[in-house]
Amino acid sequence: MTEWIISILLLIGGSFVLVGSIGLVKMPDFFMRLHGPTKATTLGMASLLTAAMVFFSTTQAGVSVKEILISLFLILTAPISGYIMIKSAIHHKLESIERTKGKDNIEGDF
Amino acid sequence: MTLLWIPLLSLLGSLISSMTGKLTRNQSTGLTMLLPVTALLMTINLAPAVFSGDVIRETISWIPLLGIDIAFRLDGLALLFVFMILGIGILVIFYARYYLSSNDSMPKLYAYLLLFMTAMLGIVMSNNVIQLWFFWELTSISSFLLISYWWQKPEARKGAIMALTVTGGGGLALLAGLLLLGDIVGSYNLDIILASREIIQAHAWYEVTLILVLLGAFTKSAQFPFHFWLPHAMAAPTPVSAYLHSATMVKAGIFLLARFYPALAGTDMWFILVSLTGLTTLLFGAYVALFKHDLKGLLAYSTISHLGLITLLFGLDTKLAAVAAIFHIINHATFKASLFMATGIIDHETGTRDMRKLNGMWRFMPYTATLAMVAAAAMAGVPLLNGFLSKEMFFAETLHQQLLGSMSWLIPVFATIAGALAVAYSARFIHDVFFNGDPIGLPKQPSEPPRYMRVPIEILVALCLLVGIFPSFIIDDILTAASFAVLGGYVPEFEVALWHGFNLPLLMSAIAVGGGLLLYTQRRYLFQFQASLPSLSAKKGFDDSIYAMTKWCQRKINDIENGSLQRYLMLIFLVVLLFAGGPLFEMSQVGGQKQLTPIDVHNAMGAALLMVGAISTVIWYRKRVVSLLMISVVGLMVSVAFTRFSAPDLALTQLTVEVVTIVLLMLALFFLPQHTPRESSSMRVVRDVGISVTLGVVVASICYALITRPLESISDFFIANAKTGGGGTNVVNVILVDFRGFDTLGEICVLGIAALGIYKLLINLPLFIPAKDSEGRPWAKERYPILLASISQSLLPLALMVSFYIFLRGHNLPGGGFIAGLVTAIAFILQYIAHGSNWISERLTINYRKIIASGIAIALFTGVGSWFFGKTFMTTWYDYFDIPFIGEIELASALVFDLGVYITVVGATLMILASLGQLTTNASKKEVKN
Amino acid sequence: MRLETRFKWLPAPLLSLLLFIVWLLLNNSISVGHLVLATILATVIPLVTSPFRIKQPLVIKPGLAFRHLMLVLYDIVTANVQVAILILGPTKNLTPGFVKVPLDLKYSMPITILASTVSLTPGTVSAEVYPGSESFIEGDNSEQRFLLIHVLDLKDEQALINTIKQRYEAPLKEIFAC
Amino acid sequence: MIQNLTFLPILLPMLAGVFLLMPPFGTNKKSRRFASVLLSAVTFLASLALLLKVQADGIQVYAIGDWSAPFGIVLVADPLSTLLVCLTALLGFVCALYASAGDDEKGSFFYPLLHFLILGVNGAFLTGDAFNLFVFFEVLLIASYSLLMHGGDKRNTRAALHYVILNLVGSAVFLIALAILYGVLGTLNMADMAQKVALLQGDDIYLAKIGGLLLLVVFALKGALLPLHLWLPNTYATAMPVVAALFAIMTKVGVYSMMRVYTLIFGEEAGELTHMAQSWLWWLALATIAMGAVGVLASKDLRKLVANLVIVSVGTLVALVAVQTIEASSAAIYYLVHSTLVTAALFLLADLIGRQRGETSDRITAGPPVSQPRLLGVCFLIAGIAVIGMPPLSGFIGKVWLLKATLNLEYTMVFWPLYLLASLAILLGVSKAGSTVFWNHKTKVSETLEQKRVHPSQLVALIILISGAPLMAIFAGPLSEYAIGAATQLHDFNNIKVILSGGQ
Amino acid sequence: MLDTVILIVFTMIGVSLLLNVWRLLIGPSLPDRILALDTMYINSIALIILYGMSMGTTLYFEAALLIAMLGFVSTVAVCKYLLRGDIIE
Amino acid sequence: MELLYASCVGLLVTCGVFLILRSRTFTVVLGLTMLSYAVNLFLFSSGRLSLNKAAVLGYSSEYADPLPQALVLTAIVIGFAMTAFVVILAIRGQTDLGSDHVDGHTPNKKSTQNKKVKV
Ligand code: NA
Ligand code: NA
């Protein structure tokens, strides 16, 4: 039973991570590339870590829950690193593809 | 202890006279003369014993293990020289008192003179050849000081250096020779050496030894071609010349020939080398002397010539020749000393020594003139004077040799020619100075010198006459004793007498005198001929060669030390390649016996990533930011590798260090240009690639060779004792804080010192801040993005928590003080990035210097603590305590030590970044707390 | 709303609670020893780090906060599935866009939380907060603030703005009572 | 305390370094100077006490953490290492004293760094563990980096940059060498290594050889042996002279390590690898001597001159190390002490002379006269005679000794002429420099000011160093006994058992 | 079964790492590369966790934890550099 | 796998040495960092490679050689200190000598740094 849970969680996590990285390569401009890693990867990691949690709690003596911490850190930091990266992208005046709406919402460097 | 006192007294004299600066000239002179006179009296007291044929010895142990002792020895030869050194020395001191002008420092001259006297006495009385060399070199040093007495004059400086270089060089040769001699004989003791002639001359090194010793002798006694320093030594005050070039310095060389005559002489090599050198010097000196306009110049070259004569005599293969040599040593000393002094008077009274100006001095100083002329006559070898006698013997001996086989008749011929030349320059000295019309533009109006200035000359001239008229009466004892020493206990029948009847030598003398006078009368033709020759100055030659050599050296040095770091690095890498590559080829096979572990997919992938990272770092090294990102891939992969190969502690350390390094490099990047210009030629790039690839291959093969071999190491001990001895289950950490905690102590010292050094480098360094980035964009306005600021402030407590956790578990599980410290530091770095260093320094008012110091101190004192339990430094202690409700906890001194590590790491890291950050922050010079 | 707690020794109760839990998580244990240690750390660390905290409104309604957290977690999951689909699907018919969301929040911490939530949920990533930190005064009412977000596939701008404001900003305003 | 005597030469400088960073010394100049000089003096006395103890009870082995060799790190105090420790401590004391005249304030942390440098050097001399040697090398290096920049100017920065980068590469090589040796021998204790090397077989021998040769690279770099000497002249000539004087001991660390490694580990008993580095050492040393002599003749200022003299001394020492006989080693030991003291003295002298010659500084050209010609002149004369190797000072004994020790070698006929010519070059170079600096005056007006006169503490420091030359000559008897004793210990393979058995 | 699953996921992570490197290499812009690196950090966490699971040991957990914390810091540092040049001002 | 490991080390050495031989301080620093990676891996491998044998008692039956790990840890720390110092020295060189060339002066003066303003 637990083996199933673990396997499923692992597969979900792995595929999300993969999807994030695919997005990183596939998307046409930087701003779109950013979405993959900041979201998909976060969730992917979360489920991988949950898998690990279940795994170690069952295979080894006592529950192992500290993997939650990693997820916590990722959830705290991922948005901010995304934010700071977009900031620098905007600062570097990276081109977003033409069909991007509301480019004028970007205020110039302030 | 009398022997020892003789040199010692003159040494003391040197000290005393150097302290007579306050006294009057007479007092100073008196005091200075006191001790040498005493020494002379002591010597006279010893003389009878020596005359009766025994040798007085004294030895004090100095460096027994090197066979170097303080050993003195007084035989006939030594006695003769001691008499000359002291006697003439005293006269010179007396003379100098009147010679020196009031603005010349008398104590200085006296001190140097007596120092020199000491050295000479040491040479002649040494019974240990190393000690002999010791004093030999001392004469070089003290003569350097004497010659450079008037150091304001460039010729004095040059003359001194020239003398020092030539005689010093000779001295080195002599040292080599003496060491060889000592090695051949098995002792440096002179007695033994003199006694083992057969061994020496049979030994394979005899020739080398002989040449080296002769080099020493010839340089010192100004033999051709080493003569050139002597004329330039005339820059010294005349009393000094009178001393150095009549009785002492140059005679030291002659003494050496005499001293080692028993041990080294007797072979054809000796005869050929010595006699030919002597002959050449004799003729050369005599010839050049004729053309010197400077009185002292004339005397200098005549000295060279006479030294040649003596040398030649030592080179003639007859016993009597040696006797004659010794006899002439005495004679030359007396008349040459008096001549120098006379010259000194003339110089002193007229202010010049130029014979073209000096004329008709007879009228102004008849008395001095008489003295000078007598002495000159002795130099010329006129009958009734001592010079004549030795000259006779010399001529006689030249007839009794078969050196040049069928050409041996050449030597007497040359001897006669030399005699003639001697007569000629003596005649010039007399006529040109004292007669020959009126003086021309003298600086001073000449007159007789002060009465007592003449006394020394009077004494010496008297000696010339006495010896010349009643030779046997005056000279026999000392001459016999000296010859006895030189000829090794055998003295041939000889009779120094005025009249040997009509014989060949007498005829030769007659020819010499006649020819000499003729030469002098007809000198103008000779001078014209000489003028037509190209003039070559030894001094110029010497200076030029020194200059050329210096320039050559400077060129070479500039070529080699061209200040190019790349070259230096290249050299290192090449040497490494050579040393590491060489033995690699000697190996039968690189791979070992250990069976290999198969490659699995994630290792392959990790390796791939690592390689890609490394290569692209190199590819993009001109785009610095990019290369930085690439190298951090490498760093990440290295730490992944550490996890893969069961080294969690290393992985953690690598990761934390990685981040701090990146931050540092980012800072560096800001102040350094962001692009690397294209500089190195493609040729060079190819070369560098070649070297680095080869080096890589070599290291790789060594690494492969290592890891494919089985290893039994001391590590099992650590695994076995980690828990029981160190009280921890994380063996790596136990090694770091216990088994090899000493390394860790040193390591945190390094870290602390680095921080101090970095602060030192950066403190109020005027930095230029780029206003735009490499693409010329102005920097963003927003300094501290809001979201970043607020998230980092909530991350700080979490990070501290984690670091505390890592610190605490370190002893039993991966972690420990260092990693914990870096995690803490990084947490603060994040604050620095998010809020800037002012904001931090307002809130974090701690002094990093003290933090570092206390960190190291804690670690150190934990170690010292074990002393109080009678254990050695850093002997750790741990125990388990059972606390109610909480349960068993472990307390270990290692943990305190690790705390020290933690504190040092935090302090050092923050100090580094704080001082860097402070550089750019607000111009208002708010200094970072060091 | 409140910026200060009643007790000096407990400047940030929620943080302390978080730390307490984190310690137990790290050590995978709830032994008495660790409970004691956790309590100590949970009180000491906030005190030590308090100088580095800019005063922020405290959580007034923990219950609501928890419910909001659960909601966000749920959204994260759903949003990620959508994004995954968007990524894997053809990119040519994606219409990305930048949207400026006017903010009622006045303090940096709530704004940060909102921005993070936005970044983690529907295909949106927070890009900027206007005006920037240079002219940002905590709790200042005078100036209208905006959150610039990048949307992976922008259909209806106004709808998106409304969702964000109602679904995420409003609860935060309640939780922090600001 | 007495049983911990062996540890004091390491503990005291570390304590000193730490204390001097703490209040009141961290802030108060006067107290810092006083404390620093005092502490360095104490270190010296402790080292002296250790030396006497070793003389009395023989070789001392100190197991740190009570973990005996080969598992733990042990300090080994034998006659040689303690002698060098004393020398280091003395040098430290002298430099502290000299710097207290004002040089210490030309940058921050002078005194702590000085003591940390002493710590590193003493550690390197005393440790019996190869990796620990590396650690102490790094300690002394990092301290030297910082000291090099003390009161630095632009030339100095460049030299420092080169010095640091080269030594970083050197450290990398050191680690690789250690890795190889550990990977083959499975131990880090040098005595244990020596034992294991003898038992090697097959290809392991060559791996060990690589390790040993790479160590040679490291030591050659530290000791400034050709062709890795190129960093030295500029580094020493641009460093502040008091620092350069202190550095006089650092090249000796390299030489000392060569002595240890190539007589202990790869010495008589090393089986296949016996004397493996000997011929390398020998020829490189000869080249170094020649190079140094050329440099001496080429030098344009006093400090460069002295730097090149250092190079010559290194070459001489390494040549003696290569000879691998007790006599040669003892000559090396005597010469090492002599050359260290006299070169240090010359650096200080160059500084004092430079200060008194205004713009001309220590350049070997006509310039203004020094304001204290007699004092400096006499000092220079003494130091000069000593370094040239003329009687009556220590130099000539060293010269006689080393020539004696190199007699009857395969290559004596190469070494003697080379060495004697080098001595002649030094004679010429030094005498020319001296006569030019002291006697050849361009400008009559001496712009040397009153405060440019030698400070008392500088004078004392200088005299302490210079008096070494006559004293080493007068007491050459006992000193030669000591040196030969030390050399015998150095070559005595049985010491390995002593070390491994913890000194019993 | 679990081992095979782990192996599969390993390969997934591996592929995504390679994708990251690809982006890292081709860029084109600096932010792109930074993003790639940041993602790489996170993916390597996954790698380590998986490794821990396959080996059945928790010894490598802290490594993962630190990457999670520190990857963020270095990303922030690089971005701050791009924005302001001076990262500690 | 041993071969793979060794060649990784070799590659790192190659890249490091090449970078060290460049003429600009920053590149040299990169090279030194790379070289120290190589050296650390090399030193680490002197205890041989072992999978899942971390030297933590009770976590496996047999253990990897802990000694090289400890040595590498020390080496990493020292290397970090040294790198930090040389980085700062490079900055100092840039300001003192006006160029980031390792010899303090560019052979050709054309390589101009981007425009500077004094703080
Ligand atoms: Na005339
Ligand atoms: Na540790």
Side-chain angles (χ1 to χ4, degrees), chain B residues 7 41 129 134 152 174 185 291 294 343 376 439 532 631 633 656 669 678 681-682 692 694 714 731 761 788 906:
Chain B
L41 295 176
V129 290
F134 176 106
Q152 300 83 347
L174 177 61
V185 177
F291 302 98
D294 176 4
T343 313
S532 67
I631 203 170
V633 173
T656 41
L669 211 48
R678 223 167 257 294
S681 63
S682 56
S692 36
T694 339
I714 53 175
V731 186
L761 286 186
L788 178 59
V906 175

Side-chain angles (χ1 to χ4, degrees), chain B residues 293 354-360 428-440 520 523:
Chain B
H293 298 302
D354 188 333
M355 279 189 274
R356 285 162 301 190
K357 296 187 183 155
L358 293 166
N359 294 319
R428 183 177 180 209
F429 183 91
I430 295 171
H431 176 266
D432 209 342
V433 174
F434 298 109
F435 310 99
N436 194 25
D438 300 330
I440 302 153
Y520 178 62
R523 65 182 181 282

Side-chain angles (χ1 to χ4, degrees), chain C residues 62-80:
Chain C
L64 178 59
F66 182 75
R67 239 180 294 119
H68 184 63
L69 179 64
M70 286 304 121
L71 170 84
V72 170
L73 286 177
Y74 171 77
D75 286 2
I76 289 178
V77 177
T78 48
N80 276 294

Side-chain angles (χ1 to χ4, degrees), chain B residues 29 33 87-99 334 337-339 341-342 345 367-368 371-372 375 448-464:
Chain B
T29 315
M33 283 171 69
I88 295 181
I90 292 163
L91 294 180
V92 166
I93 294 168
F94 186 81
Y95 173 82
R97 179 248 173 277
Y98 297 94
Y99 178 87
T334 44
S338 47
L339 278 172
M341 293 186 186
I345 291 181
Y367 188 73
T368 313
L371 292 173
E448 284 289 351
R451 172 73 197 83
Y452 293 106
M453 194 170 183
R454 288 198 304 261
V455 172
I457 312 182
E458 289 162 357
I459 296 172
L460 290 166
V461 169
L463 266 174
C464 295

Side-chain angles (χ1 to χ4, degrees), chain B residues 290-307:
Chain B
L290 198 50
F291 302 98
K292 288 294 159 190
H293 298 302
D294 176 4
L295 272 176
K296 280 179 87 174
L298 183 150
L299 292 180
Y301 278 96
S302 90
T303 306
I304 295 177
S305 157
H306 280 274
L307 294 169

Side-chain angles (χ1 to χ4, degrees), chain D residues 131 134-135 138-139 141-142 145-146 149 152-155 157-158 160-162 164-165 168-169 171-173 175-180 182-184 186-188, chain F residues 13 20 25 28 32 35 39-40 42-43 46-48 65 67-68 71-72 74-75 78 81-83 85-86 89-90 92-93 95-97 101-105:
Chain D
F131 190 83
F134 165 79
V135 171
E138 297 305 306
V139 172
L141 279 175
I142 190 75
Y145 299 158
S146 316
M149 293 296 291
D153 57 1
K154 297 185 186 330
R155 286 165 61 233
T157 311
R158 176 162 161 265
L161 197 57
H162 288 190
V164 173
I165 292 173
L168 286 185
V169 174
S171 308
V173 178
L175 281 175
I176 290 184
L178 287 174
I180 296 172
Y182 177 80
V184 178
T187 183
L188 289 171
Chain F
V13 169
I20 291 175
T25 49
V28 173
L32 288 167
L35 188 63
V39 169
N40 292 337
F42 189 98
L43 181 55
S46 71
R48 311 304 186 252
D65 188 341
L67 187 51
L71 302 187
V72 172
T74 311
I78 289 176
M82 294 297 173
T83 318
F85 191 90
V86 76
L89 195 55
R92 175 75 184 258
T95 27
D96 277 2
L97 309 166
H101 193 284
V102 283
D103 298 335
H105 50 75

